[in-house]
Amino acid sequence: MEVTDEVLVDLHRRMVRIRHFEEAAGRLAEESRLPGFLHLYVGEEAVAAGVCAALTDEDQISSTHRGHGHLVAKGGDFNRMMAELMAKETGYCKGRGGSMHICDLDLGMLGANGIVGGGVPIAVGAGFANKYKGNGAVSVVFFGDGASNIGAFHEAANMAAALHLPVVFVCENNEYGEYTPRDQTMAITDVVDRAVGYGMPGVIVDGMDAVAVFEAASEAVARARAGDGPSFVEAKTYRFYNHHGVQVLGMKYRSDEELAEWRTRDPIDLLEARLAAAGVLDADGAAAVHAEVAAAIEAAIAFAEQSPDPDPSELFNDVYTIAGGGA
Amino acid sequence: MEVTDEVLVDLHRRMVRIRHFEEAAGRLAEESRLPGFLHLYVGEEAVAAGVCAALTDEDQISSTHRGHGHLVAKGGDFNRMMAELMAKETGYCKGRGGSMHICDLDLGMLGANGIVGGGVPIAVGAGFANKYKGNGAVSVVFFGDGASNIGAFHEAANMAAALHLPVVFVCENNEYGEYTPRDQTMAITDVVDRAVGYGMPGVIVDGMDAVAVFEAASEAVARARAGDGPSFVEAKTYRFYNHHGVQVLGMKYRSDEELAEWRTRDPIDLLEARLAAAGVLDADGAAAVHAEVAAAIEAAIAFAEQSPDPDPSELFNDVYTIAGGGA
Amino acid sequence: MAATETETRTLAYGAAFNEALRQMMREDESIFVAGEDVGAAGGVFGAFVGLQDEFGPMRSVDTPISEQAIVGLGIGAAVAGLRPVVDLMFMDFILVAMDQIANQAAKLKYMFGGKATLPLTITTSGGAGLSAAAQHSQSLEAMLCHVPGLKVVMPGTPYDAKGLMVACLRDDNPTVFVKNKRLLGKKGPVPEELYEVPIGVANVVRPGDAVTVVSYGRMVDESLKAADRLAGEGVECEVIDLRTVQPLDIDTVVASARRTNRIVVVHEAVRFGGLGAEIAAQVQEEAFDYLDAPVGRVAAPFTPVPFSPVLEAEYVPNAGRIATGIRQTLGLAEPPG
Amino acid sequence: MAATETETRTLAYGAAFNEALRQMMREDESIFVAGEDVGAAGGVFGAFVGLQDEFGPMRSVDTPISEQAIVGLGIGAAVAGLRPVVDLMFMDFILVAMDQIANQAAKLKYMFGGKATLPLTITTSGGAGLSAAAQHSQSLEAMLCHVPGLKVVMPGTPYDAKGLMVACLRDDNPTVFVKNKRLLGKKGPVPEELYEVPIGVANVVRPGDAVTVVSYGRMVDESLKAADRLAGEGVECEVIDLRTVQPLDIDTVVASARRTNRIVVVHEAVRFGGLGAEIAAQVQEEAFDYLDAPVGRVAAPFTPVPFSPVLEAEYVPNAGRIATGIRQTLGLAEPPG
Ligand SMILES: Cc1ncc(C[n+]2csc(CCOP(=O)(O)OP(=O)(O)O)c2C)c(N)n1
Ligand SMILES: Cc1ncc(C[n+]2csc(CCOP(=O)(O)OP(=O)(O)O)c2C)c(N)n1
Ligand SMILES: [Mg+2]
Ligand SMILES: [Mg+2]
């Protein structure tokens, strides 16, 4: 797709929405207002935004344990997302899934996943369904550098290639799996080197540059839509917060300098500079977007807090689909 | 290692021993004298022979469901092998494992495996132990083209590379997984293309040429011994019999022509021609080897037939190692 | 059913399974099958023969050797609106794909607040008796039955093989259909028309008053043989074929046990932690005051499945050992000889 | 033990586990640990802290995210003569590695005619109660206990965490050591010297005559709390901590049940097919004439583990529900209010 001014503005808005949602979630977690684990996407916004801007509502994505950003980028509703993180009845999963299982099937977001690599075969299955139906839709797999070491990823990537499915593999290479650096867990620097082993084309893109991600993703999606099979996009990125929670400085596994270095390339700052330079959106315009999104977040928090907890009887529902009573 | 006349003669003997063992096993199966499944190695002898000739008794190998050839090449005893295939008490596994679990830990043969890819992580574990002990030993993983599509292979290959272990990955690419041709199950022609994704050096070798396999294996083993990490050898080969059992002609999944074509490159014929040309071993000399091995096979069959079945009480032994009573 | 039997044609268990698939695939375009060698080769046990010829390679898919991705393919396709059938060649291989089966397929709907629907059927072949050794002979249903979200059927007759497969294909939940390898060639009456055997309903295959024998899969035939022997000794066994192991038709079992006051559970799986344990636990709870003897269990010993035919014969329950187990529960001595 | 308790220092459950590993690694050069984040980071639960500093990266190995290869690494290294400890971060992840655990590690020795010895310890963390949802909260021990060749321990106290870990490290078989996530910070008396709590021996943690309550892992504390409440109602419960779930110390359980004539089994795992079923089946067999009531079971309902704290509180058994279950088995009415 062409990088029009509308696209630039759209990319900016998607990133700002992710950033504010994640910052708010982090704050709430610090205040112990969110139960369970929390894996924040701050710093990696350009990847989800750039990829999802290249998709239609009919296209599907499968996500990871770090899934809020993907859902927001795909059009997720703040209220239902925040309510899910707070385990409320009004949440996307009625409070049963939480951060690690958040999803919106209507938007084609097939779910975050608590199992590293667990979502990869599922997205490939959705891709098979798209080919089967000939509906022209594409499915995208988001996965991390660490996830590229697990068997399910390998099997599913090869399956997509063998069956020539309309799937795009997007590796979010943030250089770490939890607290272990990439060079401890693989002997390669670029995860995309694995694409050749599946017979897929692959590219490396600057994961802090939303426009670059958008262009690479658009190309891969176009190829898949055209029936030319799966491809692989590796986005070099970095998470600004800890593996889970928000703590950042004084970590043993990565230096404050490394973090500071990456922070100078904040994907939102980079795009806002470009928008200003191109005269598409000036500082005030950007600030207006932030303000609007911030207000929506506050509203979502209020919505979530006012929402009721699930009724205890909900514990027993939806284990099975009851014939007649639909999904 | 250098290809001396002794090496050539050794390669020939190893292949002849495999061929006669497998032909005999096939005959016995046709006569319903062997219980269970039987996956024959006929046609692929050059791979096991060439690789194992490059190993010492301290080096380990892990095998597949098609494991007789690997055990014979590693020095397996005909009597105990034949007895195991006949499920006798004198067999390598006391009749508890059979063809799919045949092993000789004393020879470093860590076992055939009924699970495709199941043996790959195990050989990598043995490689880790070798590095841990600093004993200079190397472990070799035999696996098929089809096995390269399963998760356990991927995880173990990456693990070996990440931990820089003395392991050699030997892919026996016979172009089929059971009844499904390679091009249906992967979008690549050469499995070695996967090596780059692990950061391993890889080579393709003619799997019908025992000398070529020996040379490639020697190099990979030397690299591993020197502490330079794992590498990947893909041997292009072909099985002359069906996936299991011996039936060959009139198969739906592969043409008689294709089989005939490959049979013109029988690895034993090729090496015998070379031996004769080089004046190392003439027709009579080769015939003598065949005769000697054939006699040993007959003896092994007799040994196995005269051996007792396991005592029914054996059913309950060796589920656990009993403290005091050793393994 | 008894009435129709006489009129209906006989078909082998494997062929009945195949017919259910074919007839349903004709009715429903959203059904496809995928797995190793299921397409062109028709499956290593012939269970999928002819499907690719009739429905083409898109609906009869040969996959790589990738059990996790095979199940995942089914999950994703099901969530996207198809009705996939994915095959895992041997039941032992469910362990290779257990994350996709138990952490993904079984839980998605619940975790998603009810949103996802997974009309997914996983087919596989279990059971011992072919000298296939420890990794190709297991009966692992107890592991699957312990996972909320799954349904598991294990037919013992050609009639049920067809009817239960139809039921699985029509069910909107992840179901696991376990064929027994040694029953594939077994012949029996199978109506030509499409019919359904409801999931979760057991079948009293032999009425009796002295003792209840509960089984499923291939052990039903062995239990019936044992019942014949005991009839010769003047003991009438009531034999129940569970047909479905999750959900369990415990009402039928308990009702029978309350009448006979004695019950024995028979299965191929190892005794410890097998389905017999759950049935015993529920029966002693529901029929405590009716039982004249402890719930008996006849099952495989706590060892891997051995290769040797001699050892395997000792391992797998058979009519003889079942009869012995029944006599023990009845407090009867073994007959002379 | 009771005697030493007073003198000995107190230590947290997780630290006791860590101390067992550290002391054994000092004694035995062939022991190493491998897993995700176990090295430099010391494990996500801190259970492996300090080991890399003391023993170096070769004996405290950070691995890729590859559960199958992690377990396989342990199997191969064990067969080659080392004594590996491999960690699977959450018990839910055993399903990702189930083939290597159940088809390989558990069966190699048997399939090889006794040749292989596998002194392998698989460590993991199970249990619910942290709002970690359906894929990070499971108790899957029943699946492991159904596999011949494995031993499984689930300590409920710091003392047993250290003593059982020592026993696992000294055992020549594949053992699975299941920490309970919610017990990691629990403090208790732990002798500084190296000691072993034998695998397969249960512990009567509270004597009583009215009813036997059998449990393990975190549910032991909840059972003791329930016992306190019932003591207030004049009912003395005998509480048994199994400590090891495979092999099961059924003799201790049966002996107690024969004395109290009533028994309730408590666990976090779902009820259907859980360990309570096997215990109930064995007890009703061994103590049939002694039981005044059916063997009771208090366990999780047949649903995945929910994320919502409100729902999870309903899901996981606690002292209140255990007390209710015990009263039912005793035929007592619930106390007013
Ligand atoms: C099968 C499995 N193994 C381990 C974990 C624990 N875990 C959760 S996130 C994570 C790191 C994932 O790294 P990566 O794929 O690079 O994603 P990132 O967190 O960097 O975004 C690990 C090991 C898990 N959830 N599932
Ligand atoms: C996990 C698993 N899936 C499927 C099988 C069934 N199976 C046995 S051999 C085989 C084909 C293996 O192909 P390849 O790896 O190329 O080895 P080859 O038989 O060609 O030597 C299959 C699918 C198995 N044993 N294990
Ligand atoms: Mg990462
Ligand atoms: Mg092959």
Side-chain angles (χ1 to χ4, degrees):
Chain A
M1 273 183 266
E2 199 198 338
V3 184
T4 60
D5 290 353
E6 291 63 37
V7 167
L8 292 174
V9 169
D10 175 47
L11 290 172
H12 175 256
R13 169 172 290 275
R14 289 184 201 246
M15 287 201 289
V16 171
R17 284 175 58 83
I18 296 171
R19 177 68 58 91
H20 281 262
F21 184 88
E22 294 294 69
E23 293 288 357
R27 260 196 324 277
L28 292 166
E30 296 250 288
E31 297 162 6
S32 313
R33 287 158 70 188
L34 297 186
F37 297 123
L38 187 74
H39 303 102
L40 298 176
Y41 198 70
V42 175
E44 308 186 13
E45 293 89 348
V47 185
V51 170
C52 291
L55 301 177
T56 71
D57 285 356
E58 285 60 50
D59 297 325
Q60 303 106 330
I61 65 173
S62 81
S63 176
T64 68
H65 55 286
R66 200 175 300 288
H68 314 156
H70 303 133
L71 179 49
V72 171
K74 196 73 168 66
D77 173 63
F78 280 165
N79 289 5
R80 300 183 63 195
M81 287 185 70
M82 202 55 85
E84 188 57 35
L85 265 54
M86 289 193 193
K88 298 306 184 80
E89 181 190 273
T90 55
Y92 264 117
C93 307
K94 299 185 190 165
R96 282 215 209 89
S99 168
M100 268 194 292
H101 304 292
I102 200 157
C103 67
D104 185 338
L105 299 185
D106 299 331
L107 290 174
M109 199 293 204
L110 303 180
N113 208 301
I115 302 295
V116 166
V120 185
I122 296 173
V124 169
F128 177 86
N130 292 332
K131 180 176 181 177
Y132 191 94
K133 299 174 182 171
N135 61 10
V138 169
S139 69
V140 173
V141 185
F142 287 101
F143 63 101
D145 48 305
S148 77
N149 295 326
I150 201 157
F153 158 76
H154 174 71
E155 293 187 2
N158 180 68
M159 179 86 76
L163 302 183
H164 210 64
L165 303 179
V167 180
V168 177
F169 292 84
V170 177
C171 180
E172 302 177 313
N173 183 352
N174 61 11
E175 301 295 331
Y176 293 84
E178 289 200 346
Y179 313 102
T180 304
R182 198 210 64 249
D183 61 14
Q184 297 277 308
T185 60
M186 51 183 98
I188 55 175
T189 305
D190 303 317
V191 179
V192 74
D193 290 353
R194 295 186 169 167
V196 56
Y198 306 116
M200 276 184 214
V203 296
I204 294 176
V205 60
D206 177 359
M208 308 311 259
D209 178 346
V211 178
V213 172
F214 172 78
E215 290 175 318
S218 298
E219 207 177 297
V221 169
R223 182 181 301 110
R225 268 201 226 296
D228 297 334
S231 45
F232 193 116
V233 176
E234 175 179 6
K236 304 285 194 181
T237 183
Y238 198 79
R239 61 173 154 73
F240 288 173
Y241 290 154
N242 192 16
H243 168 62
H244 70 85
V246 301
Q247 194 197 348
V248 277
L249 296 177
M251 291 267 150
K252 185 177 159 204
Y253 70 100
R254 63 181 200 184
S255 71
D256 297 351
E257 295 65 35
E258 178 180 291
L259 173 63
E261 175 67 30
W262 276 95
R263 272 194 174 282
T264 62
R265 307 204 54 253
D266 184 310
I268 295 178
D269 295 347
L270 290 182
L271 185 61
E272 289 184 350
R274 175 171 177 161
L275 284 165
V280 177
L281 190 75
D282 62 12
D284 294 352
V289 175
H290 282 275
E292 180 204 327
V293 171
I297 290 289
E298 287 318 308
I301 294 172
F303 170 84
E305 300 222 294
Q306 285 146 29
S307 295
D309 287 325
D311 184 273
S313 67
E314 273 291 316
L315 171 63
F316 306 98
N317 297 338
D318 299 323
V319 179
Y320 292 94
T321 298
I322 312 302
Chain B
M1 276 183 266
E2 199 200 337
V3 185
T4 61
D5 290 353
E6 291 63 38
V7 166
L8 292 174
V9 169
D10 175 47
L11 289 171
H12 176 254
R13 170 172 291 272
R14 289 183 203 246
M15 288 200 289
V16 171
R17 284 174 57 83
I18 297 171
R19 177 68 56 94
H20 282 260
F21 184 89
E22 294 294 69
E23 293 289 358
R27 261 197 322 278
L28 293 166
E30 296 247 292
E31 296 162 7
S32 315
R33 286 159 71 187
L34 298 186
F37 297 122
L38 187 74
H39 304 101
L40 298 175
Y41 198 69
V42 176
E44 309 186 15
E45 293 89 347
V47 186
V51 170
C52 292
L55 302 177
T56 71
D57 285 357
E58 285 59 51
D59 297 323
Q60 303 107 330
I61 64 173
S62 80
S63 177
T64 68
H65 55 286
R66 199 175 300 288
H68 314 155
H70 303 132
L71 180 48
V72 171
K74 197 72 168 66
D77 173 61
F78 281 166
N79 288 7
R80 300 182 62 194
M81 287 184 71
M82 203 54 86
E84 188 56 34
L85 264 53
M86 289 193 194
K88 298 306 184 80
E89 181 190 274
T90 54
Y92 264 116
C93 309
K94 299 184 189 166
R96 284 216 208 87
S99 168
M100 268 194 293
H101 304 293
I102 199 156
C103 67
D104 185 338
L105 299 185
D106 300 330
L107 290 174
M109 200 292 203
L110 303 180
N113 208 302
I115 302 296
V116 165
V120 186
I122 297 172
V124 170
F128 177 85
N130 293 332
K131 180 175 181 177
Y132 191 93
K133 298 173 182 173
N135 62 11
V138 169
S139 68
V140 173
V141 184
F142 288 101
F143 63 101
D145 48 304
S148 76
N149 296 326
I150 200 156
F153 158 76
H154 173 73
E155 293 188 3
N158 179 67
M159 178 86 76
L163 302 183
H164 210 64
L165 303 179
V167 180
V168 177
F169 291 83
V170 178
C171 180
E172 303 176 312
N173 183 352
N174 60 12
E175 302 294 330
Y176 293 84
E178 289 200 346
Y179 313 103
T180 303
R182 199 207 64 253
D183 61 14
Q184 297 276 309
T185 59
M186 50 183 99
I188 55 174
T189 304
D190 303 318
V191 179
V192 74
D193 290 353
R194 293 183 172 172
V196 57
Y198 306 117
M200 276 184 217
V203 297
I204 294 176
V205 59
D206 177 358
M208 309 311 259
D209 179 345
V211 178
V213 172
F214 172 78
E215 290 175 319
S218 299
E219 207 176 299
V221 169
R223 182 182 300 111
R225 267 198 227 297
D228 298 333
S231 47
F232 192 117
V233 177
E234 174 178 6
K236 304 284 194 182
T237 183
Y238 199 79
R239 61 174 155 71
F240 288 174
Y241 290 154
N242 193 16
H243 168 63
H244 68 87
V246 302
Q247 193 197 346
V248 277
L249 297 179
M251 292 264 145
K252 185 176 161 205
Y253 71 101
R254 65 181 199 185
S255 72
D256 297 353
E257 295 65 33
E258 179 179 291
L259 173 62
E261 175 68 30
W262 278 94
R263 272 194 174 282
T264 61
R265 305 203 55 252
D266 183 309
I268 295 178
D269 295 347
L270 290 182
L271 185 61
E272 289 183 349
R274 175 170 176 161
L275 285 165
V280 177
L281 189 76
D282 63 11
D284 294 353
V289 175
H290 283 275
E292 179 202 328
V293 172
I297 289 290
E298 287 318 309
I301 293 172
F303 170 83
E305 300 224 293
Q306 285 145 30
S307 295
D309 287 325
D311 184 89
S313 67
E314 272 292 315
L315 172 62
F316 306 97
N317 296 338
D318 299 324
V319 179
Y320 292 94
T321 297
I322 312 303
Chain C
M1 167 183 161
T4 61
E5 269 190 33
T6 48
E7 308 128 33
T8 53
R9 128 209 92 145
T10 64
L11 206 61
Y13 182 99
F17 168 87
N18 181 279
E19 184 170 85
L21 249 177
R22 180 179 292 110
Q23 292 180 342
M24 285 297 290
M25 286 176 81
R26 286 175 185 158
E27 281 206 346
D28 187 341
E29 290 256 314
S30 66
I31 299 174
F32 72 95
V33 302
E36 295 155 19
D37 303 294
V38 301
V44 293
F45 299 112
F48 301 91
V49 161
L51 299 180
Q52 191 171 74
D53 293 340
E54 178 169 352
F55 302 105
M58 195 71 204
R59 294 185 66 190
S60 171
V61 185
D62 281 315
T63 67
I65 305 169
S66 307
E67 279 72 14
Q68 296 187 75
I70 289 167
V71 175
L73 183 81
I75 296 171
V79 170
L82 300 183
R83 304 187 75 83
V85 177
V86 294
D87 185 62
L88 301 177
M89 203 181 285
F90 285 76
M91 191 175 200
D92 313 70
F93 307 162
I94 66 171
L95 299 180
V96 183
M98 206 59 171
D99 172 63
Q100 287 291 316
I101 296 170
N103 279 337
Q104 309 294 342
K107 296 176 170 54
L108 280 195
K109 183 185 185 67
Y110 190 83
M111 296 190 299
F112 290 178
K115 262 309 177 71
T117 309
L118 282 93
L120 166 67
T121 302
I122 299 169
T123 60
T124 189
S125 299
L130 295 177
S131 302
Q135 294 173 338
H136 285 71
S137 306
Q138 296 173 84
S139 296
L140 299 169
E141 61 274 11
M143 290 190 186
L144 297 170
C145 293
H146 189 48
V147 181
L150 300 178
K151 296 183 180 182
V152 185
V153 303
M154 297 182 77
T157 67
Y159 181 91
D160 290 339
K162 179 175 178 179
L164 281 169
M165 185 59 186
V166 170
C168 286
L169 291 168
R170 288 178 176 163
D171 199 283
D172 280 335
N173 296 283
T175 56
V176 184
F177 184 105
V178 185
K179 301 184 232 84
N180 185 293
K181 296 193 279 293
R182 285 193 55 189
L183 290 179
L184 292 169
K186 173 189 172 179
K187 290 205 154 58
V190 178
E192 292 178 23
E193 69 273 13
L194 207 51
Y195 62 93
E196 184 172 331
V197 170
I199 292 174
V201 180
N203 193 12
V204 179
V205 291
R206 175 183 176 122
D209 52 16
V211 57
T212 300
V213 180
V214 179
S215 188
Y216 54 92
R218 191 173 73 82
M219 288 299 111
V220 174
D221 287 345
E222 294 298 318
S223 298
L224 286 168
K225 280 189 221 144
D228 287 340
R229 294 194 195 181
L230 283 148
E233 299 165 33
V235 175
E236 286 304 327
C237 304
E238 176 146 298
V239 181
I240 297 177
D241 178 354
L242 287 174
R243 303 195 289 191
T244 298
V245 288
Q246 183 62 272
L248 205 57
D249 182 1
I250 198 66
D251 296 349
T252 297
V253 173
V254 167
S256 175
R258 287 182 173 185
R259 245 189 314 98
T260 65
N261 311 116
R262 296 174 189 271
I263 174 167
V264 177
V265 187
V266 181
H267 55 62
E268 266 191 77
V270 298
R271 174 185 168 106
F272 192 106
L275 208 65
E278 179 60 34
I279 294 171
Q282 290 194 38
V283 169
Q284 62 94 35
E285 195 169 351
E286 303 295 320
F288 187 74
D289 298 327
Y290 298 81
L291 293 179
D292 295 338
V295 180
R297 290 187 284 169
V298 178
F302 200 60
T303 83
V305 184
F307 164 65
S308 152
V310 175
L311 299 182
E312 194 176 27
E314 285 293 307
Y315 179 89
V316 188
N318 55 29
R321 275 199 290 286
I322 295 168
T324 298
I326 295 171
R327 290 191 198 93
Q328 278 167 7
T329 297
L330 287 162
L332 299 176
E334 288 290 295
Chain D
M1 166 182 161
T4 61
E5 269 191 32
T6 49
E7 305 128 33
T8 53
R9 127 208 93 140
T10 65
L11 206 61
Y13 181 99
F17 168 88
N18 180 279
E19 184 169 270
L21 248 177
R22 181 186 315 255
Q23 292 179 343
M24 284 296 291
M25 285 176 80
R26 286 175 184 156
E27 279 205 346
D28 187 342
E29 290 256 313
S30 65
I31 298 174
F32 71 93
V33 303
E36 295 155 19
D37 303 294
V38 302
V44 293
F45 299 112
F48 301 90
V49 162
L51 298 180
Q52 191 171 74
D53 293 340
E54 179 169 353
F55 303 104
M58 195 71 206
R59 295 185 66 190
S60 172
V61 184
D62 281 315
T63 67
I65 304 169
S66 307
E67 278 72 16
Q68 295 187 78
I70 289 167
V71 175
L73 183 81
I75 297 170
V79 170
L82 300 182
R83 304 187 76 83
V85 177
V86 294
D87 185 62
L88 300 178
M89 203 180 285
F90 284 77
M91 191 175 200
D92 312 70
F93 309 162
I94 67 172
L95 299 180
V96 183
M98 206 59 169
D99 171 64
Q100 287 290 316
I101 296 170
N103 279 337
Q104 309 294 343
K107 294 176 169 56
L108 280 194
K109 183 185 186 66
Y110 190 84
M111 296 188 300
F112 290 179
K115 262 310 176 71
T117 308
L118 281 96
L120 166 67
T121 302
I122 298 169
T123 60
T124 188
S125 299
L130 295 176
S131 302
Q135 294 173 339
H136 284 71
S137 306
Q138 296 173 87
S139 296
L140 299 170
E141 61 274 11
M143 290 190 186
L144 297 169
C145 294
H146 189 49
V147 180
L150 300 179
K151 296 183 180 182
V152 186
V153 303
M154 298 182 75
T157 66
Y159 181 91
D160 290 338
K162 180 176 178 179
L164 281 170
M165 186 59 185
V166 171
C168 286
L169 292 167
R170 289 180 177 162
D171 199 283
D172 280 335
N173 296 284
T175 56
V176 184
F177 184 103
V178 186
K179 300 183 234 87
N180 185 292
K181 294 194 279 294
R182 284 193 55 189
L183 290 178
L184 292 169
K186 173 189 173 180
K187 288 206 160 56
V190 177
E192 291 177 25
E193 69 273 13
L194 207 51
Y195 63 92
E196 185 173 330
V197 169
I199 292 174
V201 180
N203 193 12
V204 179
V205 291
R206 175 184 177 122
D209 53 16
V211 57
T212 300
V213 180
V214 179
S215 190
Y216 54 91
R218 191 173 73 81
M219 287 298 110
V220 175
D221 287 346
E222 294 299 317
S223 298
L224 286 168
K225 281 189 221 146
D228 287 340
R229 294 194 194 180
L230 283 150
E233 298 166 32
V235 174
E236 286 305 325
C237 303
E238 176 147 297
V239 181
I240 297 177
D241 178 354
L242 287 173
R243 304 195 288 192
T244 299
V245 288
Q246 185 59 276
L248 206 56
D249 182 0
I250 198 66
D251 296 348
T252 298
V253 173
V254 168
S256 175
R258 288 183 174 184
R259 245 189 314 99
T260 65
N261 311 117
R262 297 174 188 271
I263 173 168
V264 176
V265 187
V266 180
H267 56 61
E268 264 191 79
V270 298
R271 175 185 166 105
F272 192 107
L275 208 66
E278 179 61 33
I279 294 170
Q282 290 194 39
V283 168
Q284 62 94 34
E285 195 169 351
E286 302 296 322
F288 188 73
D289 298 326
Y290 298 82
L291 293 179
D292 295 338
V295 180
R297 289 188 285 169
V298 177
F302 199 60
T303 83
V305 184
F307 164 65
S308 152
V310 174
L311 299 182
E312 194 176 26
E314 285 294 305
Y315 179 89
V316 188
N318 55 28
R321 275 200 291 285
I322 294 167
T324 299
I326 295 170
R327 290 190 197 94
Q328 278 167 7
T329 296
L330 287 162
L332 300 175
E334 287 290 295

